[in-house]
Amino acid sequence: MVVQFLKGVLSYLMGEAGQVPSSLTDSYDALLTTTLRNYQPKLRDNISRGNKLVSWLKSKGRTRKVDGGERVQVPLMHAQNATADLYQGYGILDTTPADGITSAFYDWAQLSVSITISRKEKRQNSGKHKALDLLEAKTMQSEVSLKELLNNCLVAGRITSGASSASGQFSARVGRLDSNASGPLPLAVLIDVNPTRNVAVGNINPNTYAFWANQAKSSTASTFAGLKLEMNNLYNTCSKGTGGGPDFIVSDQVGWETYWGSLQTNERYIIDNKETIDILGGSDALKFRGAAMVWDEVVPDPETNAEVVSAVGTMTVSTMYMINAEAWDYIVDSQTDMITTPFVRPENQDASVAQVLHMCCVGVNNRRKNGVLYGISRSITS
């Protein structure tokens, strides 16, 4: 239906003989804008499914939309209700007001990618079908670029060197970002190798409030058996209290291959569930306890590069992040969810430009349910 509609629009704008009217720029830009907006839902789905972490959170119902606001508020519980007690008959019930509920606050991050088409490209693709082919190619290129940017922000980012609890500034990645722009908080910040770092995360300082510290374990394993003991220990530590254990583990490539090597006689631990593979965008996953384990090429080495801002940095040892999806939220502004702007002509360019815009943040409501195993030897073979 959409294709037939677009062909009709093209015929109307360009004429059945394929002649371009004098108002080439206005007509062409209107056509491109309409076509790009029709592509918008597919763009959103492809980009989210291309990010394993976001795809997993989405599959667990941990993505939500909110209607703007200065920051995103994530409610969290940090203490039990002390009035819980036994009683008998006419016993006195404790009605002391309970505290222990607070909120974390996360800043919005904005991402964009531009789709630019020059007048020369328009003239070279002025036929009915060539116009759509050109836009499709340009959109696919932009989609891949935005997908990579989002993944780098969430997975590869690290704490900014010298960040203070007053500023609470973090960098998502090295790149051509505005100097005052920050990406969504990445794994290495939300699940820190230094859990009590004196820097606020979500406006709460784990150095002051112990309940806000994630789990972290430095590996000393030199054998497969030793590695699995450490993984079990961290998994169990993350599983304490209500909310279950981690259900998703993301590692660098060598870390994943090391764990794979430890399972060579137990291939039944491989997840071959089609639904899980579809969720992860076609990637196969290993099974560790109740978690699916995948690898990502931009998982950093936070032990070696603890205070370095870079996309990946020097990889000396491996890292595994254990994530409990119930403790996470991927939040998107309801009016800026991979939206597309109209094509317009810049004052100083003979071209038309549109943007794909995304406004989001990642928040954690219980850091204690997540952990990181770092410093894993990359030379374990047996």
Side-chain angles (χ1 to χ4, degrees):
M1 293 293 291
V2 173
V3 173
Q4 292 301 320
F5 168 74
L6 291 175
K7 287 182 177 178
V9 174
L10 273 168
S11 297
Y12 174 77
L13 291 175
M14 296 181 174
E16 289 301 331
Q19 299 299 316
V20 181
S22 58
S23 57
L24 169 69
T25 300
D26 291 340
S27 300
Y28 206 108
D29 289 352
L31 171 67
L32 295 180
T33 297
T34 301
T35 306
L36 186 57
R37 284 180 175 165
N38 286 332
Y39 192 83
Q40 186 175 319
K42 183 174 183 290
L43 186 76
R44 181 188 302 119
D45 185 63
N46 283 352
I47 291 176
S48 65
R49 287 175 64 85
N51 186 297
K52 295 172 186 175
L53 176 57
V54 173
S55 294
W56 189 259
L57 295 178
K58 186 176 181 180
S59 74
K60 297 295 182 179
R62 302 307 303 177
T63 59
R64 59 187 174 95
K65 294 184 179 182
V66 300
D67 189 17
E70 179 191 3
R71 295 179 296 173
V72 175
Q73 180 178 3
V74 176
L76 56 97
M77 183 177 70
H78 64 85
Q80 299 280 358
N81 187 327
T83 65
D85 201 358
L86 299 171
Y87 80 100
Q88 179 175 323
Y90 295 98
I92 302 299
L93 306 182
D94 189 348
T95 59
T96 304
D99 199 353
I101 303 294
T102 188
S103 293
F105 291 89
Y106 296 97
D107 293 327
W108 288 110
Q110 294 176 278
L111 295 82
S112 74
V113 63
S114 296
I115 301 175
T116 305
I117 299 178
S118 69
R119 181 176 179 84
K120 180 178 180 181
E121 289 174 315
K122 291 178 182 179
R123 297 300 301 133
Q124 292 172 330
N125 295 272
S126 56
K128 295 180 182 180
H129 305 293
K130 287 184 178 180
L132 296 182
D133 291 343
L134 173 63
L135 179 60
E136 182 180 10
K138 292 273 188 176
T139 304
M140 288 177 63
Q141 178 191 41
S142 299
E143 178 183 308
V144 169
S145 301
L146 193 57
K147 184 186 301 183
E148 181 176 333
L149 171 62
L150 180 60
N151 190 64
N152 284 351
C153 287
L154 297 177
V155 179
R158 274 183 290 288
I159 189 171
T160 301
S161 180
S164 67
S165 57
S167 66
Q169 294 297 308
F170 300 92
S171 175
R173 67 188 285 272
V174 164
R176 296 174 59 251
L177 287 174
D178 183 278
S179 59
N180 294 318
S182 295
L185 294 184
L187 282 175
V189 170
L190 296 170
I191 312 177
D192 201 335
V193 294
N194 179 3
T196 57
R197 191 188 301 274
N198 190 26
V199 177
V201 176
N203 210 42
I204 302 174
N205 194 324
N207 188 256
T208 305
Y209 301 99
F211 75 86
W212 197 234
N214 59 261
Q215 312 300 331
K217 185 177 181 63
S218 177
S219 176
T220 59
S222 59
T223 63
F224 289 150
L227 176 62
K228 286 190 282 190
L229 283 174
E230 291 177 341
M231 293 173 66
N232 273 310
N233 178 260
L234 181 62
Y235 186 95
N236 288 338
T237 303
C238 293
S239 302
K240 291 180 179 178
T242 59
D247 52 26
F248 188 67
I249 302 173
V250 60
S251 171
D252 62 285
Q253 179 180 343
V254 174
W256 188 93
E257 290 170 349
T258 301
Y259 179 60
W260 165 270
S262 73
L263 303 177
Q264 285 300 290
T265 58
N266 298 282
E267 278 83 358
R268 64 181 178 276
Y269 287 112
I270 303 169
I271 296 178
D272 57 3
N273 181 283
K274 183 181 184 300
E275 181 181 0
T276 300
I277 292 175
D278 287 345
I279 289 171
L280 297 174
S283 298
D284 54 356
L286 299 177
K287 181 76 170 176
F288 179 78
R289 308 270 299 267
M293 182 176 178
V294 299
W295 64 273
D296 193 301
E297 61 189 280
V298 296
V299 168
D301 172 1
E303 180 181 68
T304 306
N305 307 285
E307 299 286 347
V308 175
V309 181
S310 65
V312 177
T314 303
M315 298 296 293
T316 303
V317 288
S318 289
T319 308
M320 296 179 184
Y321 289 99
M322 295 193 177
I323 296 166
N324 185 321
E326 289 300 311
W328 286 65
D329 288 288
Y330 183 73
I331 304 139
V332 178
D333 174 46
S334 59
Q335 300 300 311
T336 323
D337 185 11
M338 300 300 175
I339 64 168
T340 57
T341 66
F343 276 88
V344 296
R345 184 183 184 278
E347 182 179 352
N348 59 350
Q349 279 187 312
D350 186 16
S352 298
V353 182
Q355 276 85 33
V356 179
L357 305 176
H358 189 57
M359 184 166 159
C360 66
C361 76
V362 174
V364 175
N365 59 53
N366 192 342
R367 294 184 79 199
R368 293 177 298 176
K369 302 298 291 182
N370 303 274
V372 55
L373 181 62
Y374 62 96
I376 302 169
S377 171
R378 297 165 73 88
S379 60
I380 300 175
T381 58
S382 61

